[in-house]
């Protein structure tokens, strides 16, 4: 005799979700329980730093520890692109356990929502942007060259079903760098390229014919691939502005400028250059530098504690301020990285600190990092070369703080609203136990799943629903009484509507 559950309406789903949040350890997700993931200790040597899932054994995203649980944060998921810390910094510790690099969307408990690992190479800088008036996921994919730390690859645009709708490549046979990919309202992309040239470095103590990495900014029409704008650093920024030591060997790259961010500023562009400790405002018509903020040739008087060093992620804000991530690795007397917002008076040529927030640990990030401005004055900060991320409120209070549990970094970290509707079907697996059948359900990237309906039966053609349960983490485990031969699941939204169903799976 088959037992049919009562119809699952919106109120029933909400009651189940409330109960689930009160008992977070009901369901195991592979090697780490849902509740334990928020305070997972660093793994011992030989253990796995990644989640494992019965229904998706092919996925092994990294685990995350949440030290300050989310409270009063802005809506949205957390977006990370994890790689071994030593992938970008040869001095960093090698990771102690296995995980898959790739792109990770997670919830505030540190549970994966969507995970994708590249067939080869590295993914970096995943974020939600607008393209053709629709939200899209964008990221860079390719190879990273360390030292000095730049990429050769291309840029991907994915729709809500995680299908690639565009691939953007630089013009003139160049390779796209990992540091930046900005979609403009006109359907164009602002990107950065590193290209090797031969140049005279004797003014800074180098050779007359040395390898130099020139920074290039391009604007590309996404639909057609045409080059609309190009700016080359050596035509406008001399190597004497660099703080980066020239290599003794002229066959080693002199990474004199290290571009790492570009954004629109009215009819101009702002470009961040790590190795000159400066932000440049560039005239899009002529390519000329109209002013320099900070660095050896700053056009602005930097106020108390306003100077920055080895920075990333400059952005012009709607209120006229400029935000950036100040790595501060070489700033005299500072020794701590920070999220920095500057008041920049272009008439008086002064720059003063509006906001400055350090991590709870007082981290000094040697590389990478970003400062994202959210609604209501919140800031979401990725600490780059350190495996942490933080959300601050408008007063600088820490509302959310977490980190990877192993030697893993994410180039940038974002909080963004995202609705994912994958085209593939939910995944299910069944395991026989002592008088029970354990059913494991997941759906990689489906953000609207609120609950699962479990089905069992004697064969693939005769499955019947037996239980409805709330979704708890990436993978939900349900122990069903009896010895089922086959199992399946249906994904339900908050109204109890079926979003998708899995194929039938034989119980192992």
């Amino acid at each position: 005799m088959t037992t049919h559950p009562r119809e699952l309406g919106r109120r029933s789903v909400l009651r189940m979700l409330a109960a689930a949040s009160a008992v977070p350890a009901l369901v195991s997700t592979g090697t780490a329980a849902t509740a334990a993931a928020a305070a997972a200790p660093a793994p011992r040597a030989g253990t796995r730093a990644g989640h494992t899932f019965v229904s998706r054994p092919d996925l092994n995203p990294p685990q995350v520890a949440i030290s300050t649980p989310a409270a009063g944060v802005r809506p949205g998921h957390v977006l990370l692109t994890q790689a071994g810390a030593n992938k970008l910094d040869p001095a960093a510790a090698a990771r102690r356990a296995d995980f898959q690099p790739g792109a990770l969307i997670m919830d505030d408990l540190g549970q994966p929502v969507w995970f994708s690992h590249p067939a080869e190479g590295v993914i970096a800088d995943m974020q939600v942007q607008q393209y053709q008036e629709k939200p899209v996921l964008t990221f860079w994919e390719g190879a990273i060259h360390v030292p000095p730390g730049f990429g050769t690859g291309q840029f991907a645009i994915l729709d809500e079903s995680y299908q690639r709708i565009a691939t953007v490549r630089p013009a003139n046979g160049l390779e796209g760098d990992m540091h930046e990919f900005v979609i403009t309202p006109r359907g164009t992309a602002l990107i950065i390229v590193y290209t090797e040239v031969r140049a005279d470095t004797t003014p800074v103590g180098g050779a007359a014919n040395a390898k130099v990495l020139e920074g290039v900014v391009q604007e590309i029409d996404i639909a057609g691939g045409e080059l609309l704008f190009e700016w080359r650093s050596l035509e406008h920024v001399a190597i004497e502005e660099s703080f980066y030591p020239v290599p003794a060997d002229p066959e080693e790259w002199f990474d004199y400028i290290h571009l790492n961010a570009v954004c629109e500023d009215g009819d101009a562009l702002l470009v961040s250059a790590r190795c000159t400790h400066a932000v440049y405002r560039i005239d899009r018509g002529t390519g000329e530098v109209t002013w320099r903020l900070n660095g050896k040739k700053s056009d602005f008087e930097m106020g108390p504690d306003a100077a920055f060093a080895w920075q990333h992620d400059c952005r012009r804000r709607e209120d006229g301020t400029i935000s950036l991530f100040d790595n501060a690795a070489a700033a005299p007397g500072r020794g701590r990285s920070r999220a920095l917002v500057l008041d920049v008076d272009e008439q008086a040529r002064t720059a003063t600190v509006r906001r400055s927030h350090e991590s709870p640990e007082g981290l000094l990030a040697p590389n990478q990092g970003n400062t994202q401005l959210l609604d209501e004055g919140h800031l979401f900060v990725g600490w780059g070369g350190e495996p942490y991320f933080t959300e601050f409120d408008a007063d600088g209070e820490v509302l959310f703080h977490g980190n990877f549990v192993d030697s893993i970094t994410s180039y940038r970290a974002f909080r963004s609203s995202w609705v994912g509707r994958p085209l593939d079907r939910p995944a299910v697996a069944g395991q026989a136990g002592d008088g029970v059948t354990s059913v494991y359900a997941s759906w990689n990237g489906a953000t609207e799943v609120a609950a699962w309906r479990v089905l069992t039966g004697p064969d693939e053609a005769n499955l019947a629903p037996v239980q409805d349960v709330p979704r708890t983490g990436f993978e939900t485990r349900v122990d069903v009484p009896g010895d089922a031969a086959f199992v399946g699941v249906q994904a339900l939204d908050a109204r109890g509507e079926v979003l998708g169903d899995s194929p039938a799976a034989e119980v192992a």
Side-chain angles (χ1 to χ4, degrees):
M1 178 179 178
T2 301
T3 301
H4 296 271
R6 66 180 183 277
E7 281 297 312
L8 191 66
R10 176 178 172 82
R11 291 183 180 179
S12 300
V13 171
L14 293 176
R15 283 195 297 269
M16 288 196 301
L17 291 174
S21 64
V23 193
L26 284 174
V27 179
S28 172
T29 57
T31 59
T34 301
R44 298 184 303 274
T47 63
R48 298 179 70 84
H51 292 278
T52 58
F53 304 108
V54 178
S55 59
R56 290 299 303 269
D58 58 315
L59 300 182
N60 183 213
Q63 291 184 21
V64 169
I66 306 300
S67 53
T68 302
V73 299
R74 301 306 302 148
H77 296 100
V78 176
L79 283 70
L80 305 166
T81 51
Q82 62 281 353
N86 60 347
K87 192 79 175 177
L88 292 167
D89 182 1
R95 64 180 187 266
R96 291 165 293 177
D98 292 334
F99 78 99
Q100 292 171 328
L104 174 67
I105 300 176
M106 72 174 199
D107 63 22
D108 285 340
L109 294 176
Q111 278 287 303
V113 174
W114 178 72
F115 176 69
S116 177
H117 59 90
E120 59 182 3
V122 176
I123 290 175
D125 192 29
M126 178 174 65
Q127 54 184 300
V128 176
Q129 302 195 64
Q130 291 283 322
Y131 178 56
Q132 297 178 339
E133 301 183 347
K134 294 181 180 179
V136 291
L137 279 181
T138 66
F139 55 80
W140 171 89
E141 56 189 3
I144 296 176
H145 305 274
V146 176
F150 71 96
T152 51
Q154 60 189 14
F155 307 92
I157 302 177
L158 276 57
D159 65 13
E160 66 177 8
S161 64
Y162 305 97
Q163 301 301 297
R164 186 181 299 242
I165 58 174
T167 300
V168 179
R169 300 178 180 87
N172 301 326
L174 300 177
E175 294 277 352
D177 172 60
M178 60 179 283
H179 283 98
E180 192 65 283
F181 180 65
V182 173
I183 297 179
T184 74
R186 302 176 302 282
T188 66
L190 295 172
I191 62 175
I192 288 173
V193 174
Y194 284 49
T195 183
E196 178 187 310
V197 299
R198 288 281 179 174
D200 181 5
T201 60
T202 55
V204 291
N209 186 33
K211 285 184 178 180
V212 175
L213 288 176
E214 183 176 32
V216 180
V217 175
Q218 290 187 347
E219 183 174 10
I220 304 291
D221 178 71
I222 294 175
E226 295 89 0
L227 175 66
L228 305 177
F229 172 83
E230 183 174 85
W231 181 86
R232 290 180 170 266
S233 65
L234 283 170
E235 297 174 4
H236 306 281
V237 180
I239 61 173
E240 289 91 337
E241 293 189 39
S242 184
F243 289 87
Y244 192 81
V246 63
D249 183 354
E251 295 306 308
E252 291 183 15
W253 286 316
F254 178 32
D255 185 22
Y256 94 101
I257 193 163
H258 199 97
L259 303 184
N260 58 27
V262 58
C263 70
E264 294 192 301
D265 184 26
D267 59 357
L269 296 176
L270 294 185
V271 175
S272 168
R274 170 176 166 85
C275 290
T276 62
H277 301 184
V279 173
Y280 300 91
R281 192 171 195 268
I282 297 170
D283 185 298
R284 295 178 77 156
T286 65
E288 294 299 315
V289 175
T290 58
W291 53 246
R292 291 162 168 81
L293 176 66
N294 204 52
K296 293 180 180 179
K297 298 179 63 177
S298 181
D299 294 302
F300 293 81
E301 180 183 347
M302 307 301 291
D305 205 29
F308 48 86
W310 309 104
Q311 80 289 343
H312 287 76
D313 194 39
C314 71
R315 306 290 162 196
R316 175 75 82 170
R317 303 303 180 183
E318 291 183 358
D319 61 2
T321 60
I322 292 177
S323 67
L324 54 88
F325 182 80
D326 178 15
N327 292 82
R334 163 153 287 281
R336 294 181 177 183
S337 301
R338 57 179 171 163
L340 180 62
V341 180
L342 296 173
D343 281 313
V344 179
D345 188 331
E346 296 186 53
Q347 298 300 317
R349 293 297 171 108
T350 60
T352 55
V353 174
R354 168 79 68 92
R355 299 177 64 175
S356 176
H357 304 308
E358 300 173 356
S359 75
E361 299 83 4
L363 298 169
L364 180 62
N367 47 56
Q368 310 172 77
N370 72 301
T371 299
Q372 179 192 16
L373 183 63
L374 303 173
D375 294 340
E376 298 185 1
H378 288 209
L379 294 178
F380 198 85
V381 182
W383 298 99
E386 296 292 339
Y388 292 82
F389 44 85
T390 310
E391 183 167 339
F392 298 95
D393 69 9
D395 297 321
E397 293 296 318
V398 175
L399 305 179
F400 177 64
H401 186 59
N403 62 279
F404 292 114
V405 302
D406 201 354
S407 185
I408 299 169
T409 65
S410 179
Y411 167 54
R412 288 171 172 168
F414 295 95
R415 179 182 289 283
S416 300
S417 296
W418 173 252
V419 177
R421 300 184 174 104
L423 297 181
D424 61 351
R425 299 172 70 181
V428 67
Q431 292 182 343
D434 187 11
V436 300
T437 301
S438 296
V439 181
Y440 299 83
S442 64
W443 199 359
N444 190 26
T447 61
E448 298 173 299
V449 179
W452 291 101
R453 177 166 294 156
V454 179
L455 302 91
T456 64
D459 54 53
E460 298 179 56
N462 292 283
L463 297 182
V466 295
Q467 192 172 351
D468 292 340
V469 297
R471 176 191 178 276
T472 49
F474 181 88
E475 181 175 78
T476 300
R477 171 181 167 178
V478 186
D479 289 335
V480 178
D483 298 320
F486 285 82
V487 296
V489 291
Q490 293 176 337
L492 309 177
D493 66 13
R495 298 180 301 276
E497 301 287 336
V498 176
L499 297 171
D501 62 347
S502 72
E506 187 172 4
V507 175

